[in-house]
Amino acid sequence: MDQNELFDHLKKAMVALEPEVLVSETAKSLEAGIAPLEIIEKGLLPGLNTIGELFENEEIFLPELMKSAQIFQGAMKLLQPKIKEQGVAAEKKGTVVIGTVKGDLHYIGKNIVKLLMETSGFEVYDLGVDVDPFAFIVKADEVKADVIALSALLTTTLVGQKDVIEALEGQGRRDQFKVIVGGGAVTKSWADEIGADGYAENGYGAVGLVKSFVG
Amino acid sequence: MLDLIDVFERADTGLLMSDIDYYMKRFVPKLSEIVDRYRIKWDRQTIVNSDDDLADRVFQAGVDLIVEAGAYCPDTNRVMEFSREEILRAAEQAPKAARFGEGREAKTMYGRNVDEDSVPWIHVGGGIYTTKEQIYLDTVEGLASIGIVDSLSVPSILHLRGKDARVRSPQELLAAIKTVILAREGIRRSGRAGLPIINGISAASNSVSMIAAASPQFGLRPSDGFLIDFLSEMMVNYEALQKVAYFNSISANIGSTSTPMYGGYAGGAEGVAILATSYLIMGNLIYRGNYHYNAPLHQNLRISSTKPLLWAIGMSNQANARHMRRPVVNLPYLAGGAGTKMYHYEMAAYMLSVVPAGGHIFSGHPAKSVEPDSLLPKDHQFHAELGLAAARYSRKEANPLAGKFFAKYENIIKNPTKGFRYDQVYDLESKKIINDEYLRIQDEVRAEFKEMGLEVLPS
């Protein structure tokens, strides 16, 4: 079997959401001497991209998206030791710290954005809901994030997004991170008013924004 | 039926697990199994179901989902589990009527059956953000002045001294009180002081603000209605249970409220139909709601007028009507802006989906509910009349008609028409409509609807 066929099998197993098949195809690809990073770039990520498109077209939904992230991690368990062994580092696409701002307890929208970012190859750190503004900054420092993504559903919690930007400005580090905002109550004019670097109406838009910043 | 203390204890003593495990190991796989078990399938064409057997299976699936997944309390990280017997008893004993209002405005909202030609309850308004006190008062007065209306959802106003209140702040508590006082005053000005407000309390995001603003000296009464929602899919937090404890203690009307997300943990149309039905049962089992706000929503578009959602919303109404007959109002979150043709087309498709399915009338929330000052009383009068027109149809008759209206906005659903704001339509002094374009659109729409087969008679 040539390499392209193997990549095709990996992609198909990913899209079919078959964890056992994906692990076995990953093992086969390694046995065939394909570099682990190539397996990721040419087999797994194209599969994840297709899943993202299916999600956008409402052919699959959040449960399938969650499953795809899980089975991707299953394949990565096989690949990571090899990557370490070979001493090569995966090319980092970008790191995002995400959370729902203080006072807001909603998380489905934020979870979708997180999954779409993960399945687009970004490293994502999810701080959950009702997150203190300074916690975003502490985490972003710790993981050397490129982007801080802030979700807010309610009109009364929008101000939590402004707080994070204000806290960064207060520390004189506003330029260190790109800050993007989204969620039910958020509008473009609000994003502009608080000086966010970007606003997205949905998860796909958020991924596009992150790509534009770190791509 | 389980008493409330027993219900609360389930949140303290159930199985301990993380929220993500709850969704990944219980909710998502169980729902998927249940969809298959009951062969729940949307054919991607039908908007208004008329297959009773399918509606019955959706009800059974809704029961199974509660039995097998339970609810989740994020404050204790525990699963609130209920036996099939407890769930079925709550469904059997669900209130079939709710009494609202005072004096000559007092009236009973009854649960409706499918294909019932009785006059539905007419509820108008919405908790949409308002920028100025005058617009707030005028909007509420205008809505309450619609003669055929039985109850109101009043908008929210969060401004205090020129600034918006922050969530959980003392200012938010004061804004919630202000909302109540202004709403009651707006209703009084209409000459219908006893008219009930059943979206108590739009400006209160937490239990402290809500309970404070519900105090009788600000104008709300147990004969109004107080909303208690599920935080996220099957999630019941302490704040909700605090409200349950309080509003049951004062014997107030409770509107259990649910917003299952299309594209979220429930997946597509089938999962949303089942989950919305589970919420209708849990609304009595956990919250003791004597009416229900049913508000399934599209996760990305933030509207409820897509084709699969119209089917799913109608289906949950049918499952309720055939097995519990709780009084249900359904929240139409529409994409089109206030006063636009698109907004009215969406409303027509929505009314045809829910009213013959056993739901009551609720006028449309325009512009995805994000445009401030977008409640225009004349729109809501038209929607009330539209709901009455929809009540003349059976589900079978409503389906092709709903399809015609859906086709009118299908292609612009992602780029909806922008609408009018209150001060663009109404003169703030005389309170009269001064926008000819607005009036022309509504006249044209009424004529067009008649041609399409849905005659909307002026009230």
Side-chain angles (χ1 to χ4, degrees), chain A residues 1 22 59 62 79 81 85 93 96 125 182 185:
Chain A
M1 198 182 300
L22 188 72
E59 289 172 56
L62 182 58
L79 296 172
E85 220 174 270
K93 273 198 159 184
V96 181
Y125 294 87

Side-chain angles (χ1 to χ4, degrees), chain A residues 135-148:
Chain A
F136 282 104
I137 301 173
V138 168
K139 192 69 186 176
D141 276 336
E142 181 194 322
V143 301
K144 298 185 173 48
D146 302 290
V147 176
I148 298 175

Side-chain angles (χ1 to χ4, degrees), chain B residues 10 37 169 182 188 223 402 436:
Chain B
R10 302 289 163 101
R37 185 184 307 156
S169 66
L182 289 176
R188 190 197 61 75
S223 62
D436 291 340

Side-chain angles (χ1 to χ4, degrees), chain B residues 73-95:
Chain B
C73 178
D75 296 284
T76 59
N77 298 103
R78 289 182 186 274
V79 180
M80 299 173 73
E81 293 179 302
F82 300 95
S83 70
R84 182 175 299 276
E85 192 191 2
E86 288 164 346
I87 295 160
L88 289 175
R89 188 155 295 174
E92 278 163 24
Q93 296 181 359

Side-chain angles (χ1 to χ4, degrees), chain A residues 98-120:
Chain A
I98 192 169
T100 305
V101 296
K102 190 153 188 149
D104 201 321
L105 303 172
H106 296 87
Y107 53 95
I108 294 185
K110 182 263 300 169
N111 285 359
I112 289 177
V113 175
K114 175 197 165 198
L115 281 166
L116 284 172
M117 286 180 179
E118 281 177 345
T119 52
S120 299

Side-chain angles (χ1 to χ4, degrees), chain B residues 48-245:
Chain B
V48 189
N49 168 69
S50 50
D51 176 350
D52 286 339
D53 182 59
L54 180 56
D56 293 346
R57 281 185 273 130
V58 167
F59 180 79
Q60 297 307 331
V63 171
D64 281 19
L65 182 62
I66 309 171
V67 174
E68 293 172 33
Y72 184 81
C73 178
D75 296 284
T76 59
N77 298 103
R78 289 182 186 274
V79 180
M80 299 173 73
E81 293 179 302
F82 300 95
S83 70
R84 182 175 299 276
E85 192 191 2
E86 288 164 346
I87 295 160
L88 289 175
R89 188 155 295 174
E92 278 163 24
Q93 296 181 359
K96 291 170 179 53
R99 182 86 177 156
F100 294 100
E102 296 285 321
R104 65 174 189 258
E105 306 299 342
K107 193 170 172 182
T108 303
M109 182 199 288
Y110 293 97
R112 300 177 73 240
N113 201 354
V114 295
D115 298 331
E116 185 175 311
D117 60 3
S118 66
V119 176
W121 184 270
I122 300 177
H123 179 60
V124 296
I128 291 173
Y129 184 86
T130 310
T131 57
K132 293 186 175 69
E133 286 185 19
Q134 189 192 343
I135 292 177
Y136 188 96
L137 278 166
D138 289 354
T139 302
V140 173
E141 182 184 344
L143 292 168
S145 298
I146 303 167
I148 55 174
V149 158
D150 297 313
S151 60
L152 293 189
S153 269
V154 295
S156 62
I157 184 157
L158 297 162
H159 265 48
L160 273 181
R161 296 190 181 172
K163 280 202 295 193
D164 274 354
R166 178 190 282 258
V167 70
R168 294 190 209 152
S169 66
Q171 291 95 322
E172 188 208 87
L173 187 149
L174 293 173
I177 291 173
K178 180 169 127 177
T179 295
V180 170
I181 292 170
L182 289 176
R184 193 53 88 203
E185 173 58 17
I187 292 174
R188 190 197 61 75
R189 289 184 190 183
S190 75
R192 302 179 68 189
L195 201 65
I197 296 165
I198 71 166
N199 72 327
I201 297 170
S202 52
S205 71
N206 65 87
S207 55
V208 173
S209 294
M210 184 155 161
I211 291 166
S215 188
Q217 61 262 50
F218 305 123
L220 284 180
R221 309 171 276 238
S223 62
D224 290 301
F226 299 87
L227 300 181
I228 306 177
D229 61 353
F230 291 87
L231 181 64
S232 171
E233 308 309 15
M234 303 298 259
M235 235 179 227
V236 175
N237 66 356
Y238 267 178
E239 289 225 353
L241 295 179
Q242 286 164 354
K243 293 175 199 171
V244 171

